[in-house]
Amino acid sequence: MHHALELARKAEREDDEVPVGAVLVGADGTLLAEGWNRNITEHDPTAHAEIVAMRQAGQALANHRLIGSTLYVTLEPCAMCAMAMVHARIARVVYAASDPKTGAAGSVFDLLADPRHNHRVAVEGGVLADEASAMLTAYFRARRGKRPATG
């Protein structure tokens, strides 16, 4: 998750993107791919950190199935990203901050555990949540012209 947080900082620093980073690790613990939000930069509404990482891994493995892999991401996946994980057969997602507006890993929706799907993804949330939440809050406060939160 530390690496995913560094990628989130890179997204903001280098691309002025919403600071979300993702790291995809294979079943054997090897780094398969990484990504950060690119939707603003690439003018692509699907270029969320998770999707960028899954695309990169699919290309590297020459396979659309990412069986046994774990995705570490700094923000709870949205519905689009969650369903892509189901289709890719990702084994587990570990996320930092919950998303109370569009979270699809248990906050607003619970798409990854829905028994109606032919695959379910194990979910662990809250890993380094304070750090990820603080980064996201600071980013959106700055975008809205507000002073940084104190605390």
Side-chain angles (χ1 to χ4, degrees):
M1 188 62 74
H2 289 287
H3 185 56
L5 285 164
E6 190 54 46
L7 294 171
R9 284 188 275 279
K10 179 179 182 169
E12 181 178 9
R13 182 181 60 246
E14 294 182 14
D15 299 322
D16 197 26
E17 293 273 356
V18 176
V20 178
V23 176
L24 190 61
V25 177
D28 62 357
T30 60
L31 177 67
L32 295 177
E34 58 186 35
W36 55 91
N37 273 7
R38 305 277 306 149
N39 51 305
I40 296 168
T41 302
E42 295 183 5
H43 312 290
D44 178 356
T46 69
H48 288 188
E50 302 95 308
I51 301 293
V52 171
M54 286 188 281
R55 284 179 182 156
Q56 187 182 98
Q59 291 295 313
L61 297 172
N63 195 337
H64 68 290
R65 299 287 193 222
L66 306 172
I67 296 170
S69 63
T70 297
L71 183 68
Y72 295 88
V73 62
T74 59
L75 180 63
E76 180 181 3
C78 69
M80 173 187 67
C81 293
M83 289 311 300
M85 290 177 213
V86 169
H87 290 293
R89 305 296 192 266
I90 287 182
R92 184 171 84 126
V93 64
V94 179
Y95 69 86
S98 294
D99 186 342
K101 293 183 180 176
T102 64
S107 290
V108 179
F109 306 104
D110 200 3
L111 295 177
L112 297 174
D114 193 313
R116 294 172 289 187
H117 300 308
N118 60 351
H119 176 76
R120 277 160 292 298
V121 179
V123 176
E124 181 180 348
V127 177
L128 299 177
D130 291 342
E131 187 174 345
S133 293
M135 189 184 320
L136 287 159
T137 298
Y139 174 83
F140 285 114
R141 287 185 69 83
R143 297 286 285 191
R144 293 181 182 109
K146 295 181 179 179
R147 282 190 258 201
T150 58

